[in-house]
Amino acid sequence: MGPVLDGVLQLLALTGALALAYIPLGNYMAKVYSADRHWRVEKWIYKGIGANPDAEMRWPAYLRGVLAFSAVSVLFLYLLQRVQGVLPGSLGFKSIDADQAFNTAASFVTNTNWQSYYGEQAMGHVVQTVGLAVQNFVSAAVGIAVAVALVRGFARSRTGELGNFWSDMVRGVTRILLPGAFVAAIVLVACGAIQNFSGIHEVGQFMGGSQQWNGGAVASQEAIKEFGTNGGGYFNANSAHPFENPTPFTNLFEIFLMLVIPFSLTRTFGVMVGSVKQGYALLTTMATIWVGFVALMMWTEFAHHEGALQIAGGAMEGKEVRFGVGSSSIFAVSTTLTSTGAVDSFHSSFTGLGGGITMLGMQLGEIAPGGTGSGLYGMLIMAIIAVFIAGLMVGRTPEYLGKKIGTREIKLAACYILITPALALVFTAAAMALPTPGNSMTNSGAHGFSEILYAYTSGANNNGSAFAGLNADTQWFNTTIGIVMILGRFLPMVFVLALAGSLGEQKPIPVTAGTLRTEKPLFTGLLVGAILIITGLTYFPALALGPLAEGLAS
């Protein structure tokens, strides 16, 4: 079997598995967020934190819950790292420096999981399990909760009440993420991923000498890392490490985990607004972009005009020989089109155009299918922009799902789509202009610029992957990328929740002959075009200086 055919067959198998999970998981999540009864364990949690899960919240109260919980989470994780040296199970590792502790706390609380440290050489068992693993669950649940609040804004009328943040967040953990990650961890352990709390071992090498390895609760961390679109690896090599990702099957399984919730949330959306066709329209948009990006990535990485690449069967530099070009291409596109950031290959070693595709995937806003929750609300924002454009073209007040898209709504949507590009581009410009950040670049020219652009794009979009040639463990990068991650996560949530409140207060508008049918293929095409054009106009000059220049020169 040729490597190209192998990649295509893996893509088809993955698509089939996602299709089988789409309806049951989507329907189940809709029931979770529409249920009236609380589980007993959930009642214990509400009692412990002093929350009333039945109190409806308007958008300012919902936002205060999101921000307060996240602020406490950042502080807790920061302090946990700062005292690691005196904790049991620290494996002899010292406490984390202040700037790196801030960066890591911001990273895991914002669902980014950017790592400027070597996991197996820095974090002990307590920080990994009590700190990082817990945030993998709750940060993903926060994202889903905000998405559900926006869906309620579309589904409800004449009320600004969006549900209860504490109830939505806790249910996301107890009813969706914990059960799913538990099953996924069992599969990974059965396939060879490690799961223990052992200390550091001296391991002999084939060519002589030895190397130190520590164990850990790797399979459980790996499961939620992908299922919650988090991305932070237990080991520095991330999902290229055989302890995290042992076989080609687990590689495909991990891609499935990172895609299944974001895609299925479109079904949840359709059920909750009373029109599954609307969910299918968003699903088609996401799937079209995802498949298109995978095809482009395979084309760039399989193209081999030189003798060495012909022998290897494609651009194999930086890719695991266990997985090959096809599977690595699917993984790279999926991890950057979601907010996962996990890697089974090293994006800095991709071809110039291939690296540009991973960067563009993040710059779209990670909406195809995006992260857990963030992908859905990001796509809904783009749908609002698309109907606004359509309304301008025909001279009609734009509407979406029976709600008018007026001045307030379009201003909030515009702020949403502008904040992450502004963060990525402004901080990239600052890093390139100042001498200290430039010293961290191991490559000059277009690729060096791409390293910086990729870093801030990844941070602003809460992805977490990186071009490996950049030394990001400096006070400048730890601090600025930490700031970018926090602003890139929570400022968009402000606009999303304000928009949800505005939509919920409206009364439905009846469908007429002039209403744009947003469940039809015509709207899907308009939405895809709007996404690509808006992203292209925003980022093309920066991409032209980096990956495009590098790709055209090679």
Side-chain angles (χ1 to χ4, degrees):
M1 182 186 299
V4 177
L5 179 59
D6 178 65
V8 172
L9 290 177
Q10 289 191 57
L11 179 61
L12 292 175
L14 177 62
T15 303
L18 291 168
L20 290 174
Y22 177 74
I23 292 178
L25 180 57
N27 288 349
Y28 173 72
M29 290 191 290
K31 291 179 180 178
V32 165
Y33 292 106
S34 303
D36 295 326
R37 299 183 63 182
H38 306 292
W39 289 359
R40 180 174 299 178
V41 66
E42 294 169 351
K43 293 179 180 178
W44 293 343
I45 296 172
Y46 301 139
K47 186 176 181 180
I49 62 177
N52 178 7
D54 298 314
E56 285 282 341
M57 294 179 172
R58 298 177 69 85
W59 79 264
Y62 204 101
L63 177 62
R64 286 195 296 271
V66 170
L67 297 180
F69 177 76
S70 300
V72 171
S73 297
V74 169
L75 180 61
F76 170 77
L77 187 51
Y78 173 82
L79 293 176
L80 191 67
Q81 295 174 83
R82 295 290 286 153
V83 301
Q84 175 179 250
V86 299
L87 294 175
S90 64
L91 301 177
F93 298 144
K94 66 181 182 66
S95 297
I96 307 301
D97 293 337
D99 59 304
Q100 192 172 74
F102 164 71
N103 181 277
T104 304
S107 176
F108 277 78
V109 172
T110 60
N111 201 242
T112 309
N113 294 43
W114 169 276
Q115 294 171 289
S116 63
Y117 59 89
Y118 293 85
E120 65 270 35
Q121 299 176 17
M123 301 296 182
H125 292 323
V126 173
V127 174
Q128 288 277 17
T129 54
V130 177
L132 306 185
V134 168
Q135 289 306 316
N136 280 347
F137 283 96
V138 296
S139 65
V142 168
I144 302 176
V146 173
V148 169
L150 179 58
V151 173
R152 292 193 184 112
F154 282 110
R156 296 179 176 182
S157 61
R158 299 178 182 179
T159 176
E161 296 175 343
L162 302 176
N164 184 282
F165 165 70
W166 304 106
S167 174
D168 291 339
M169 188 269 293
V170 170
R171 288 182 180 188
V173 172
T174 59
R175 303 192 191 189
I176 299 171
L177 296 172
L178 268 174
F182 181 79
V183 173
I186 292 176
V187 173
L188 291 173
V189 170
C191 293
I194 68 170
Q195 181 78 8
N196 56 56
F197 289 102
S198 66
I200 297 176
H201 299 277
E202 196 83 16
V203 181
Q205 296 178 320
F206 289 113
M207 302 301 292
S210 63
Q211 189 173 6
Q212 289 186 336
W213 286 108
N214 57 282
V218 177
S220 57
Q221 182 86 307
E222 191 75 11
I224 188 55
K225 154 189 152 182
E226 311 294 8
F227 194 52
T229 63
N230 296 281
Y234 207 98
F235 298 98
N236 183 55
N238 206 278
S239 291
H241 198 292
F243 287 0
E244 292 193 21
N245 191 5
T247 68
F249 169 77
T250 59
N251 191 65
L252 201 62
F253 179 63
E254 290 183 15
I255 301 173
F256 168 81
L257 288 177
M258 71 175 79
L259 294 171
V260 67
I261 288 181
F263 272 130
S264 298
L265 276 172
T266 60
R267 175 75 180 189
T268 304
F269 163 74
V271 172
M272 291 183 71
V273 300
S275 174
V276 294
K277 291 182 178 180
Q278 297 288 348
Y280 282 126
L282 298 186
L283 172 67
T284 303
T285 303
M286 292 177 173
T288 299
I289 296 173
W290 176 66
V291 172
F293 270 56
V294 170
L296 283 173
M297 181 65 83
M298 285 191 178
W299 175 74
T300 61
E301 299 305 301
F302 275 120
H304 37 79
H305 306 295
E306 301 176 6
L309 294 181
Q310 290 177 357
I311 295 172
M316 277 298 295
E317 180 187 345
K319 298 180 179 66
E320 256 289 342
V321 294
R322 293 176 296 148
F323 309 138
V325 174
S327 189
S328 297
S329 297
I330 300 171
F331 199 113
V333 167
S334 299
T335 197
T336 50
L337 277 175
T338 62
S339 65
T340 310
V343 293
D344 73 344
S345 55
F346 289 90
H347 298 175
S348 185
S349 295
F350 277 41
T351 62
L353 295 178
I357 291 171
T358 61
M359 210 179 303
L360 182 61
M362 294 184 293
Q363 291 166 349
L364 291 181
E366 296 175 321
I367 54 177
T372 49
S374 60
L376 177 61
Y377 65 66
M379 182 58 77
L380 288 171
I381 294 291
M382 294 307 302
I384 288 172
I385 298 292
V387 297
F388 176 73
I389 293 172
L392 290 178
M393 290 190 293
V394 300
R396 179 182 170 89
T397 302
E399 305 167 9
Y400 186 56
L401 299 180
K403 300 295 179 72
K404 282 188 177 182
I405 307 303
T407 303
R408 174 178 169 80
E409 288 76 22
I410 202 62
K411 284 181 179 178
L412 292 170
C415 288
Y416 177 94
I417 64 173
L418 288 174
I419 186 63
T420 49
L423 290 170
L425 297 176
V426 168
F427 277 90
T428 296
M432 293 299 297
L434 298 174
T436 301
N439 295 332
S440 295
M441 296 163 53
T442 56
N443 295 282
S444 59
H447 194 77
F449 174 76
S450 294
E451 291 174 354
I452 301 290
L453 177 62
Y454 194 107
Y456 286 110
T457 298
S458 178
N461 289 281
N462 302 131
N463 183 269
S465 61
F467 269 12
L470 178 69
N471 174 25
D473 186 15
T474 66
Q475 287 189 350
W476 166 270
F477 284 112
N478 279 331
T479 303
T480 57
I481 293 177
I483 293 171
V484 165
M485 288 186 290
I486 290 174
L487 296 178
R489 174 72 163 178
F490 296 113
L491 282 181
M493 285 184 174
V494 173
F495 303 130
V496 168
L497 291 173
L499 177 62
S502 179
L503 293 170
E505 291 172 350
Q506 295 186 29
K507 65 178 182 179
I509 301 171
V511 177
T512 66
T515 301
L516 175 65
R517 303 295 296 273
T518 53
E519 78 280 10
K520 297 293 184 179
L522 176 63
F523 178 72
T524 299
L526 174 65
L527 183 52
V528 171
I531 292 168
L532 296 178
I533 291 172
I534 290 171
T535 305
L537 291 174
T538 304
Y539 285 104
F540 181 78
L543 292 172
L545 293 173
L548 288 178
E550 182 183 357
L552 295 174
S554 61

